[in-house]
Amino acid sequence: MNSPAPAFASVPSPFGAPSGPTVRAVHDQFHGDLLEVSMGPQHPSTHGVFRMIASLDGEQIVKLKPVFGYLHRNHEKIAENTSYLASMPYTDRLDYLCSMSTNWAYALAVEKLLGQSVPDRAQYLRVILAEMTRIVNHSCLVGFLFNDLGTSFTPLLYAFREREKFIDLFESLSGSRMMCNYQRFGGCRVDPTPEWLAAARTLIENFPRFLDEYERLLTGNEIMLARTQGIGRLDPARAVNAGITGPVLRASGVDYDIRKVDAYGFYSRFDFRVPLGDHGDTYDRYMLRILEMRESVKILSQAFRDIPAGPIMDPKAKQRGHRPKAGEAYARIEGPKGELGFYLLSDGGPNPYRYRVRPPSLINLTLLEEMCLGHTIADSVVILGSIDIVLGEVDR
Amino acid sequence: MSAAADSFLERAPLELRDWAVQLLPAPLQWISHHLITIVAVLAVFGLFFAFTTVAERKLLGRLQNRLGPNRAGLPKFSILPWHIRHKLFGLSQPFADAVKALTKEDIVPAAADKVLHFLAPVVVVGFSLMTFAVLPFGRNLIPVELDAALLYFFAAGSASELAIFMAGWSSRNKYSLLAAMRALAQLISYELPLILSVVPVVLVASTLSTSAIVQAQGAWTFGVLPHWFVFTPWGFAGFIIFLISALAESNRSPFDLPEAESELVAGHLTEYSGFKYALFFMAEYFGLTALSGLGVTVFLGGWQAPCELLYWVPSYLWFMGKLILMIMLFIWVRGTLLRLRIDQLTRLSWQFLVPLALLNVGNAAFWALTAQWSGPLQLVRWAVSAAIVIVPFLVIGRSLSAGYAPRTYRYAP
């Protein structure tokens, strides 16, 4: 059985002979060719225009190659040719589910470059909106994950019902449901009314009820446990080496949350915990999202309690025509998907000389093959769903 | 009792047929007698299929905080005259769907095996309709009175999976091929528990004829507790095994692997469009209806009334009512559960359902042997029979789900 695997090389393959670890159920010449299935770019569960070329032995994956770039929009080059402020709406389109936190990461980088300070109320608003975005993102993610697991849309629509309430609030605040374009260098764009804050507070107070309902329906489900536990394990050492961040990294048991590590914004003022997984499998990645939503609710209730009155914009801040001094800045936040960073290099001109995004979706995707090897094609879809990618951010 | 059995409503469908037949010249009477039966079954279950699709979409919608289809109505027509804009609750949706399916372009892939690609939807509908021949829809309503009706039912029912393989193979599409493989694996795995779950009933009723099985369930304790087989320990276990296997046989969620949308796009249906697609869809619902009908017949007393007082209600109404409840249950399951993986699917069958179904056959034998026990021995009979099912269920179930449990999580210090 352990004789050197024959005849892989004789199988004509569009991406060459297999390399690295391959797993085959049976190693002999009687078990014919591998079946290559191209999943995507048009496929119901690749979450956008993403493509996986999978080599299958029966239903088992022996090689998987992620292909992306179908949504490349030249984001970084465009940003180098426009003013600092004009790039702000473009950042909405990176992770189109979480424009509020992407805005924040970009604003943070420019503020670092300008040496701009931010008033207290704006800091609180940023935390509030970023945590609401995290809840939106995570509830969407678990909904889509269950869709990949084969439910006929029920959990997804439950999640969307909740998400709708949040993005209604975003719309009433910023004018847009998803492309919020809300942060500015030195503060925020509009001040929420007391009614808005009260509505948001009520929504957050009621949100744990949805989580309880959701968990009662799904978390203990035996099929769910059997489909996700032990599937797509990610070794913590490999995860750290590959630069994986966010809930995917914490599910592998590595304590790394930039809200704690950097304490950017006012996160040092809030009392919250960072949940960690011990197995690094799909189930842990799912559960971490649920637990993080509960922590976000905690942060939000503290923020609504403590938010001060005052200006939302530093009165000395320039509204447009920013010309930072020559230099560089890298700012990062704990986005819902992982470490979202913006690197800016200024030559003193009105445009950034170099503009670079560190997208968590793309970097978390790099270990997809390793997580999928040896599992079935059905699992690969679930593993991809549990990594949580948004193609707008992967391809930029 | 006999008066009710001979009531006008009970006999009405047959009287109508006989009246129509005697209008024709004698040489045509034999053939028209059977043709009318066939047309009646096709028409009733064709309409039933149409409204099952609406019911499924509406019920799933309600389960998911949606309304479901509620727009399709008849133009300038209302069932409520004082409310002209009434949309018939979307009940004409299936007819709109049918028109759409008929007018869509029929695309056959260039590389497909054209003959098989064409035959597969025809064959699948044909076989799934054949199963209706032996279901007793009412006291006097059974299309074909066969002595080996159950054997016939399973033979015709499993043949439709062959058509799914034909579809998957002939499409020359990798998704379709994978789906076809899955369909075959599923067929082989679940045919066995499906048949084994019915064997206890055959043992106790000592017949393979579906109408005789229904007759055997026609009694009540104190006039209210029906003697349906589902209300015995072995019958209940058999019914649950039957339900699970029927879900798998009809490719319904959570066993809808051959057409797993999130993995295989549309499985064996990927390369089908237009009316051929609709035929597959139709066959799936016919299969589901037929299997539900068999479940009703074998375990839920068929056309028997639930209590003696309601004996006067025509028997075919009871059958249809139970059938609708079964189908609602299937829709509910679809709206709730996740899909299994192919290896878990086969493991569930071979390691869990088949052993339990085999034990259940022994259980039924015990039940048949102890038919004379009465008084306190009756309690012993029930306890032993229940134990034969429950203990292995717990033991095998625990061992299969070992290692899977919800977890507790730690937090960073």
Side-chain angles (χ1 to χ4, degrees), chain B residues 1-2 4 139 214-228 231 300-301 303-313 318 322:
Chain B
M1 232 181 185
S2 60
R139 189 173 285 112
V214 178
Q215 292 286 359
Q217 303 177 65
W220 299 270
T221 308
F222 313 126
V224 283
L225 299 173
H227 284 192
W228 301 348
F231 296 124
L300 298 180
W303 43 260
Q304 302 281 3
C307 65
E308 203 161 1
L309 277 176
L310 293 172
Y311 195 76
W312 54 272
V313 178
W318 285 121
K322 290 173 189 174

Side-chain angles (χ1 to χ4, degrees), chain B residues 71-198:
Chain B
R71 292 284 135 181
L74 294 180
K76 313 267 186 207
F77 178 82
S78 166
I79 45 168
L80 304 175
W82 57 88
H83 190 180
I84 299 300
R85 290 172 63 209
H86 209 283
K87 295 288 189 188
L88 280 175
F89 315 107
L91 279 181
S92 57
Q93 185 71 36
F95 305 107
D97 286 345
V99 170
K100 178 194 149 206
L102 276 169
T103 50
K104 273 182 94 166
E105 187 187 358
D106 178 37
I107 300 166
V108 182
D113 184 332
K114 305 239 168 11
V115 178
L116 282 184
H117 192 265
F118 173 78
L119 272 183
V122 180
V123 169
V124 74
V125 172
F127 278 123
S128 56
L129 275 176
M130 278 166 68
T131 47
F132 284 105
V134 291
L135 290 180
F137 305 115
R139 189 173 285 112
N140 306 317
L141 302 178
I142 177 163
V144 183
E145 182 69 67
L146 271 185
D147 283 342
L150 279 178
L151 281 183
Y152 168 84
F153 185 95
F154 289 122
S158 54
S160 63
E161 297 272 335
L162 192 66
I164 291 183
F165 189 77
M166 277 163 68
W169 176 257
S170 64
S171 297
R172 202 53 98 78
N173 177 310
K174 286 170 180 172
Y175 296 127
S176 303
L177 187 64
L178 274 174
M181 299 298 186
R182 285 180 173 190
L184 273 196
Q186 198 164 321
L187 164 76
I188 295 168
S189 305
Y190 279 87
E191 199 63 29
L192 200 56
L194 186 72
I195 296 175
L196 282 177
S197 69
V198 178

Side-chain angles (χ1 to χ4, degrees), chain A residues 242-393:
Chain A
I244 284 176
T245 46
V248 181
L249 178 71
R250 291 194 288 275
S252 293
V254 182
D255 174 18
Y256 184 72
D257 187 327
I258 297 165
R259 288 176 294 177
K260 291 280 189 193
V261 175
D262 276 11
Y264 60 93
F266 274 3
Y267 272 114
S268 53
R269 298 192 181 186
F270 294 99
D271 170 36
F272 66 101
R273 300 176 298 172
V274 179
L276 296 175
D278 287 323
H279 299 80
D281 54 9
T282 308
Y283 184 78
D284 275 0
R285 291 196 278 276
Y286 157 72
M287 275 308 290
L288 278 220
R289 262 76 181 223
I290 297 276
L291 295 174
E292 282 192 5
M293 279 195 268
R294 293 192 188 278
E295 294 303 316
S296 289
V297 169
K298 238 158 89 180
I299 296 176
L300 281 166
S301 53
Q302 293 168 44
F304 287 128
R305 190 191 62 208
D306 297 341
I307 184 165
I312 53 156
M313 196 72 190
D314 187 352
K316 292 196 288 290
K318 268 179 96 172
Q319 291 301 311
R320 55 181 66 80
H322 302 280
R323 278 174 176 272
K325 283 198 279 292
E328 60 178 355
Y330 177 71
R332 55 182 191 169
I333 65 163
E334 178 69 28
K337 296 179 168 65
E339 174 182 336
L340 174 65
F342 280 85
Y343 171 74
L344 295 170
L345 183 61
S346 166
D347 57 358
N351 311 335
Y353 179 76
R354 179 79 178 98
Y355 170 104
R356 162 96 183 119
V357 188
R358 185 220 185 266
S361 294
L362 172 68
I363 292 167
N364 290 356
L365 201 53
T366 48
L367 284 188
L368 179 66
E369 180 180 19
E370 196 162 302
M371 291 193 226
C372 290
L373 281 188
H375 294 304
T376 63
I377 185 96
D379 290 327
S380 73
V381 167
V382 177
I383 293 168
L384 178 68
S386 74
I387 294 174
D388 189 10
I389 57 164
V390 154
L391 265 296
E393 196 177 66

Side-chain angles (χ1 to χ4, degrees), chain A residues 36 45 59 152 154 278 284, chain B residues 64 174 182 262 335 409-410:
Chain A
E36 268 176 19
S45 38
E59 289 238 353
S152 40
T154 311
D278 287 323
D284 275 0
Chain B
Q64 300 169 347
K174 286 170 180 172
R182 285 180 173 190
S262 58
Y409 285 83
R410 65 195 167 93

Side-chain angles (χ1 to χ4, degrees), chain B residues 1-350:
Chain B
M1 232 181 185
S2 60
D6 290 338
S7 74
F8 173 71
L9 279 176
E10 280 291 347
R11 286 183 290 109
L14 294 180
E15 298 270 331
L16 199 65
R17 182 187 64 186
D18 292 342
W19 174 77
V21 165
Q22 57 89 20
L23 291 179
L24 294 164
L28 287 179
Q29 282 188 356
W30 179 84
I31 187 85
S32 55
H33 177 93
H34 290 287
L35 275 180
I36 287 175
T37 312
I38 291 171
V39 169
V41 170
L42 283 184
V44 169
F45 283 95
L47 278 177
F48 191 80
F49 151 72
F51 290 110
T52 311
T53 58
V54 195
E56 166 141 38
R57 290 172 67 178
K58 278 186 163 295
L59 205 63
L60 270 184
R62 294 292 170 170
L63 286 172
Q64 300 169 347
N65 301 309
R66 301 186 283 118
L67 290 175
N70 63 350
R71 292 284 135 181
L74 294 180
K76 313 267 186 207
F77 178 82
S78 166
I79 45 168
L80 304 175
W82 57 88
H83 190 180
I84 299 300
R85 290 172 63 209
H86 209 283
K87 295 288 189 188
L88 280 175
F89 315 107
L91 279 181
S92 57
Q93 185 71 36
F95 305 107
D97 286 345
V99 170
K100 178 194 149 206
L102 276 169
T103 50
K104 273 182 94 166
E105 187 187 358
D106 178 37
I107 300 166
V108 182
D113 184 332
K114 305 239 168 11
V115 178
L116 282 184
H117 192 265
F118 173 78
L119 272 183
V122 180
V123 169
V124 74
V125 172
F127 278 123
S128 56
L129 275 176
M130 278 166 68
T131 47
F132 284 105
V134 291
L135 290 180
F137 305 115
R139 189 173 285 112
N140 306 317
L141 302 178
I142 177 163
V144 183
E145 182 69 67
L146 271 185
D147 283 342
L150 279 178
L151 281 183
Y152 168 84
F153 185 95
F154 289 122
S158 54
S160 63
E161 297 272 335
L162 192 66
I164 291 183
F165 189 77
M166 277 163 68
W169 176 257
S170 64
S171 297
R172 202 53 98 78
N173 177 310
K174 286 170 180 172
Y175 296 127
S176 303
L177 187 64
L178 274 174
M181 299 298 186
R182 285 180 173 190
L184 273 196
Q186 198 164 321
L187 164 76
I188 295 168
S189 305
Y190 279 87
E191 199 63 29
L192 200 56
L194 186 72
I195 296 175
L196 282 177
S197 69
V198 178
V199 169
V201 175
V202 176
L203 260 177
V204 171
S206 54
T207 175
L208 276 167
S209 151
T210 42
S211 54
I213 286 173
V214 178
Q215 292 286 359
Q217 303 177 65
W220 299 270
T221 308
F222 313 126
V224 283
L225 299 173
H227 284 192
W228 301 348
F229 289 136
V230 72
F231 296 124
T232 55
W234 57 269
F236 185 72
F239 182 60
I240 300 294
I241 296 170
F242 179 87
L243 268 186
I244 298 173
S245 313
L247 277 174
E249 279 290 301
S250 51
N251 296 332
R252 295 277 302 181
S253 171
F255 304 106
D256 53 346
L257 283 105
E259 50 199 285
E261 190 208 299
S262 58
E263 301 147 25
L264 299 180
V265 188
H268 59 279
L269 305 175
T270 309
E271 296 291 359
Y272 280 94
S273 63
F275 202 64
K276 286 182 188 163
Y277 182 89
L279 282 180
F280 273 108
F281 199 63
M282 194 190 258
E284 185 184 313
Y285 279 88
F286 281 148
L288 178 72
T289 314
L291 275 168
S292 306
L294 186 74
V296 168
T297 304
V298 172
F299 294 104
L300 298 180
W303 43 260
Q304 302 281 3
C307 65
E308 203 161 1
L309 277 176
L310 293 172
Y311 195 76
W312 54 272
V313 178
S315 55
Y316 41 85
L317 290 187
W318 285 121
F319 181 86
M320 287 315 255
K322 290 173 189 174
L323 190 64
I324 289 167
L325 281 183
M326 282 279 281
I327 286 177
M328 298 270 232
L329 180 72
F330 283 134
I331 296 171
W332 184 12
V333 168
R334 179 176 170 202
T336 312
L337 284 184
L338 292 65
R339 187 182 302 125
L340 275 94
R341 212 168 52 213
I342 186 75
D343 56 319
Q344 294 166 342
L345 177 95
T346 45
R347 196 177 307 133
L348 178 73
S349 169
W350 292 107

Side-chain angles (χ1 to χ4, degrees), chain A residues 184-222:
Chain A
R184 287 292 177 267
F185 313 130
C188 304
R189 186 155 59 85
V190 273
D191 197 6
T193 58
E195 293 78 39
W196 189 92
L197 283 174
R201 196 172 189 158
T202 326
L203 178 57
I204 292 304
E205 274 164 10
N206 291 327
F207 189 72
R209 274 178 52 212
F210 159 72
L211 278 181
D212 293 340
E213 176 195 57
Y214 211 78
E215 283 213 85
R216 211 164 41 242
L217 176 64
L218 297 163
T219 300
N221 186 307
E222 292 216 5

